Amino acid sequence: MTAAKLTAPIPLTYFFDPLCGWCYGASAALEQIRARPDIALVLAPTGLFAGEDARPLDDAFAAYAWANDQRIARLTGVPFSDRYRTKVLGDRRALLDSAPATLALTAVHLTRPDREFDALKAMQRARYVDGRDNTDLPILANILADLGLHEAARRLTAPDEALVSAYHQRIATSRADMHAFNLEGVPALLVGEGSTRRRLKAEALFGLAETLIADIRGI
């Protein structure tokens, strides 16, 4: 066995949607995970609110979302601003549609995969703190450009067949994996590779990072 195999990081597949408030709440724990050389974070967007699964931001859903967001804020400390409440949840013309943000992340995945988590965090901050509409492709392209991800921003402004195909493939793969491992909802976690992966409780993302790391390592 080679030294490379002995020191290979443990893959942690993270199933998420960029418009999921609980996934935003998990960002602090995931930041600590990503910083570790012994764990490899793999992003798996599920398309929970994408395309045909998008839904209108009507009064009832906006009220439900805001109440849920306050619970997430109390549990995790992540901010949900009044600007988000007014500009995003208060926009009755908008849809809760994560297809554009997932497409943007896929553009980063194809061009700078090492920066995809940075892009996800920037999109989440744009929505939940700055109150920007991250269902809008030009806004998303600007977010990517501000991160220096110019090639991804360029591809997002005029999505080509390869980008669209990769977007659909990622969602299909994530959904197939979730079905195979009986995962319900996001965020969700699998540790390991292939059919030998094991589930972790998503609640681990909102507790002590040390406990989550020990679970990942099987300690």
Side-chain angles (χ1 to χ4, degrees):
M1 183 177 292
T2 67
K5 288 183 178 179
L6 286 173
T7 58
I10 302 167
L12 176 68
T13 305
Y14 170 57
F15 299 90
F16 73 99
D17 188 279
L19 299 191
C20 162
W22 284 104
C23 298
Y24 168 53
S27 58
L30 291 167
E31 187 65 65
Q32 294 185 59
I33 294 299
R34 191 179 68 140
R36 295 184 61 92
D38 57 337
I39 301 173
L41 183 63
V42 180
L43 298 187
T46 65
L48 177 65
F49 300 117
E52 63 183 18
D53 293 314
R55 60 163 303 153
L57 277 174
D58 55 29
D59 290 344
F61 184 80
Y64 166 79
W66 182 249
N68 208 41
D69 293 339
Q70 299 315 290
R71 181 185 172 200
I72 297 166
R74 288 191 297 269
L75 182 64
T76 68
V78 297
F80 293 86
S81 71
D82 287 335
R83 187 174 180 84
Y84 153 70
R85 186 181 188 183
T86 302
K87 298 291 186 180
V88 176
L89 292 182
D91 185 356
R92 291 298 167 264
R93 301 165 300 174
L95 283 176
L96 187 73
D97 184 0
S98 60
T102 305
L103 188 68
L105 290 172
T106 301
V108 178
H109 180 77
L110 293 178
T111 56
R112 285 294 304 275
D114 59 311
R115 299 292 309 282
E116 188 177 2
F117 186 69
D118 294 331
L120 173 60
K121 288 197 306 175
M123 291 176 196
Q124 290 170 330
R125 179 173 180 82
R127 180 179 181 83
Y128 295 114
V129 179
D130 301 332
R132 301 175 71 187
D133 179 11
N134 65 356
T135 69
D136 182 84
L137 285 180
I139 289 176
L140 289 164
N142 287 336
I143 292 170
L144 297 185
D146 288 344
L147 292 174
L149 300 169
H150 299 291
E151 177 62 15
R154 182 193 65 78
R155 292 187 68 172
L156 186 62
T157 58
D160 53 49
E161 184 177 346
L163 173 57
V164 174
S165 177
Y167 159 84
H168 287 295
Q169 183 59 52
R170 295 186 83 194
I171 290 177
T173 298
S174 295
R175 291 182 174 182
D177 285 343
M178 290 189 74
H179 177 74
F181 288 90
N182 296 313
L183 299 174
E184 296 182 1
V186 293
L189 300 168
L190 287 177
V191 179
E193 296 181 285
S195 61
T196 63
R197 285 178 289 181
R198 58 185 174 87
R199 298 168 49 178
L200 288 184
K201 292 182 178 179
E203 291 84 351
L205 289 164
F206 309 108
L208 294 175
E210 294 80 3
T211 302
L212 174 58
I213 291 165
D215 286 345
I216 294 169
R217 293 175 55 82
I219 298 173

